[in-house]
Amino acid sequence: MNSVLDAPFVQGFVRLCGDGFAQNWHERNGGNLTYRIRPEEIEPIRAQLRADGPWQDIGTSVPGLAGEYFMATGSGKFFRNVPLDPEDAACIVRIDEAGEKYQVQWGLKNGGRPTSELPSHLMNHEVKKALTGGAHRVIYHAHPANVIALTFVLPLEDQVFTRELWEMATECPVVFPEGVGVVPWMVPGGRDIAVATSRLMQKYNVAIWAHHGVFCSGRDFDETFGLMHTVEKSAEILVKVLSMTPKKRQTIQPQEFRDLARDFHVTLPEEFLFEKE
Ligand code: 13P
Ligand code: ZN
């Protein structure tokens, strides 16, 4: 029997939490992380899972995730504490056959429940599982300061955020060629914001929550953390630029993005390559 803590997916989960805290994206209990566990990752730890706990309402319906196992951070738990004691700060849950309820099968050893953003995480997972043929497994929510700051000064439009973030670093259109989506301010934790976010996840791997934070989706921990890191770095550059001048003196032009797309073999939707002024 293998220890749950020794499982590579648990170590990847824990490492991301420590790295996210080191980036200053997780004040107090800010942010949350979920990972859709592979069946072959469950088998070696199955004997340590307990299947006798109560079934709790998810708060939304995710039939596309029936029977799946997830690792999730706990609600109110601090990312900085996850590496110290993952069995207290995180959990493994199973989704029921209707996709309506979850059962905690490991972790949260001192009590608690999975993240309050579980509806958003699971609805995003459901969308991404279907869209990517099961390839995407990680949904990551963080509170990076520069992206949040931009939601006070830029129009809350996908086209504007995408174009501005792309312009700030040549790598950006290669890392997120599909762009980023923006959700206006909404009450967090519930089904409504989950529906709005998962709608954007049909099109993007990044959804920005105005005055709150960012959701990213990816295949693995490295890719998903790297996406959050790239978006926030770009936002940081934009905050510096806007702090120095109201108007950029020069920037990357639409045709230059098209040239980049050709050489880097990515498709950049024309809706983001509009002429300015
Ligand atoms: P949880 O502690 O419930 O995960 O909530 C943190 C958060 O960032 C809410 O959006
Ligand atoms: Zn949050």
Side-chain angles (χ1 to χ4, degrees):
M1 183 203 313
N2 294 6
S3 160
V4 173
L5 295 174
D6 291 336
F9 79 86
V10 175
Q11 295 188 353
F13 186 101
V14 167
R15 180 172 173 226
L16 186 151
C17 291
D19 287 350
F21 177 72
Q23 291 293 329
N24 199 23
W25 298 340
H26 300 286
E27 75 292 342
R28 204 174 179 281
N29 64 308
N32 22 76
L33 175 65
T34 54
Y35 170 71
R36 189 166 56 82
I37 306 170
R38 292 182 167 82
E40 62 269 29
E41 292 171 321
I42 285 294
E43 283 322 310
I45 60 167
R46 187 177 290 286
Q48 293 173 77
L49 303 180
R50 39 177 203 271
D52 56 353
W55 288 93
Q56 318 268 6
D57 284 332
I58 294 168
T60 190
S61 182
V62 283
L65 301 177
E68 293 264 17
Y69 290 85
F70 289 87
M71 185 160 187
T73 48
S75 186
K77 301 292 185 179
F78 294 15
F79 264 51
R80 67 186 282 260
N81 291 336
V82 173
L84 297 180
D85 194 355
E87 201 168 352
D88 169 66
C91 58
I92 293 174
V93 300
R94 184 170 194 200
I95 308 302
D96 71 356
E97 293 307 323
E100 305 270 340
K101 294 177 189 291
Y102 69 85
Q103 181 186 55
V104 176
Q105 297 205 346
W106 178 89
L108 292 173
K109 67 181 182 193
N110 299 308
R113 61 188 180 89
T115 173
S116 59
E117 303 294 2
L118 197 65
S120 281
H121 279 259
L122 294 181
M123 290 191 83
N124 292 342
H125 275 294
E126 188 181 42
V127 164
K128 287 300 183 188
K129 180 185 171 189
L131 269 177
T132 68
H136 275 213
R137 295 190 169 271
V138 182
I139 298 288
Y140 178 30
H141 169 55
H143 294 174
N146 291 288
V147 177
I148 297 169
L150 290 176
T151 66
F152 295 90
V153 299
L154 295 183
L156 299 176
E157 297 167 10
D158 302 1
Q159 280 84 356
V160 174
F161 267 80
T162 297
R163 178 64 175 275
E164 292 298 323
L165 292 175
W166 278 2
E167 284 184 28
M168 290 305 109
T170 296
E171 288 284 297
C172 284
V174 180
V175 175
F176 50 96
E178 54 296 297
V180 303
V182 185
V183 180
W185 189 87
M186 292 178 77
V187 176
R191 187 173 182 277
D192 291 350
I193 197 166
V195 169
T197 310
S198 63
R199 225 175 255 144
L200 291 179
M201 285 291 178
Q202 296 274 359
K203 188 170 174 191
Y204 309 111
N205 291 324
V206 181
I208 295 169
W209 281 5
H211 323 325
H212 183 146
V214 181
F215 268 80
C216 285
S217 174
R219 285 174 295 199
D220 55 29
F221 296 113
D222 273 358
E223 183 180 87
T224 314
F225 183 85
L227 180 56
M228 186 75 75
H229 207 178
T230 306
V231 168
E232 171 59 2
K233 176 83 181 277
S234 180
E236 182 183 353
I237 299 169
L238 185 54
V239 167
K240 289 183 199 290
V241 170
L242 293 173
S243 306
M244 289 187 280
T245 174
K247 191 168 172 11
K248 295 165 217 154
R249 181 165 179 153
Q250 57 269 322
T251 185
I252 306 171
Q253 297 301 318
Q255 188 52 45
E256 293 173 325
F257 282 119
R258 294 185 190 102
D259 296 343
L260 179 79
R262 187 195 57 232
D263 282 12
F264 280 77
H265 310 293
V266 292
T267 302
L268 300 181
E270 280 293 318
E271 65 172 304
F272 303 124
L273 299 179
F274 48 88
E275 293 297 331
K276 292 184 183 172
E277 269 118 277

